[in-house]
Amino acid sequence: GGVEDYIPPPATASIMTVQFLFFACPSVLRKKYPEGQITIEHINSLVLEVQDMPRWAKLIRYILCPGVRNENLDLDPILPWIQTNEGKRRLEKILCVCVSSISKKQKPGKRKSSPKGSIAVDDIFSEYHVLVDSFLRVLLWLGDDNTVGQKCNYSGGSRDMIHQKCQSLLMQSTCPSHSGNHATL
C-alpha cells in the first residue's frame, strides 16, 4: 500500500482542513459595546491564491477524498462535522472554497515561476477542477467521473444529512434535479 491507500483519521483530516481554512476563510473578532460581548464574524470573501492551489488540491486528494470515498463510515472526515455548528460551518467553507475557486476567472496561458521552473497556471487549475468535481460529485450523489449513472456509495446514516446539506447549499430549489432524492445529470 502506498500513499493512495492511506486514509487519514477524521481528527487528522479535520485539523488539517481547519489549518488550511484559517488562511482561506478569515474570521474577525468583534467586541460589542457596551455589553462587552466578543463575537466571531465570518468573512465571506476567500483569500485562496494561485500558489495555494497545489496545497488545496493535496488536501482534497489525500486528506478528504480517501475517507469520503471509503465505505467505512468511521473513516469519513465529514461525518463528525455535521454534528456541530463549527463542523457545519467548516463544511460550508469547504464547499465555498471549492465553488469559488472553480468559478474564479483566470487568465489562460498565464505562467508563474516556481523552484522547479515555469508551471502553467492552467495546469494547476485543470488538476484542481478534476479533483473538486470528483469530490463534489460524491457528496451530491452524482456519481464519480468513472461511474456516471451508477449508484453512489456515499449514503446511509449521517451521510444522507451531509448530502442534503451540500445539496441545499449548492443546488437551487428550481433545479430540475433537486427533488430531495438522488440528483441526476
Side-chain angles (χ1 to χ4, degrees):
V3 91
E4 296 290 332
D5 298 331
Y6 177 71
I7 301 173
T12 302
S14 291
I15 290 169
M16 295 181 83
T17 302
V18 167
Q19 288 175 345
F20 190 89
L21 290 174
F22 176 78
F23 296 105
C25 303
S27 298
V28 175
L29 290 175
R30 300 260 188 235
K31 187 169 185 180
K32 292 184 181 179
Y33 295 101
E35 301 92 33
Q37 292 177 321
I38 296 176
T39 60
I40 298 175
E41 293 182 9
H42 300 284
I43 299 174
N44 291 330
S45 62
L46 301 171
V47 190
L48 192 60
E49 302 291 332
V50 172
Q51 60 267 22
D52 295 327
M53 297 304 280
R55 281 183 233 115
W56 184 234
K58 287 178 184 175
L59 183 75
I60 292 173
R61 172 179 280 149
Y62 300 117
I63 304 300
L64 297 177
C65 279
V68 166
R69 292 180 179 281
N70 196 289
E71 292 182 17
N72 184 346
L73 298 180
D74 293 334
L75 296 175
D76 188 336
I78 300 176
L79 285 180
W81 299 357
I82 203 72
Q83 298 170 10
T84 65
N85 289 332
E86 295 81 14
K88 289 175 187 172
R89 274 197 301 275
R90 187 178 312 128
L91 178 60
E92 289 174 15
K93 287 179 180 183
I94 291 286
L95 297 174
C96 189
V97 170
C98 288
V99 171
S100 68
S101 297
I102 287 175
S103 63
K104 191 178 198 181
K105 186 174 177 153
Q106 298 297 320
K107 295 180 181 176
K110 185 178 175 186
R111 300 265 178 206
K112 181 165 179 64
S113 60
S114 73
K116 296 179 181 175
S118 186
I119 58 169
V121 172
D122 291 344
D123 293 343
I124 292 171
F125 279 94
S126 177
E127 175 192 2
Y128 174 75
H129 290 157
V130 168
L131 288 169
V132 169
D133 178 66
S134 179
F135 178 67
L136 292 176
R137 284 177 165 281
V138 170
L139 295 178
L140 294 170
W141 295 352
L142 296 174
D144 198 353
D145 290 337
N146 301 325
T147 61
V148 173
Q150 294 181 7
K151 186 179 184 309
C152 179
N153 290 335
Y154 196 80
S155 62
S158 295
R159 283 184 166 177
D160 293 342
M161 292 186 337
I162 292 169
H163 162 73
Q164 290 169 358
K165 179 74 170 171
C166 294
Q167 193 176 36
S168 71
L169 291 169
L170 297 175
M171 301 175 110
Q172 296 294 324
S173 60
T174 57
C175 178
S177 65
H178 182 75
S179 61
N181 293 326
H182 292 280
T184 58
L185 290 173

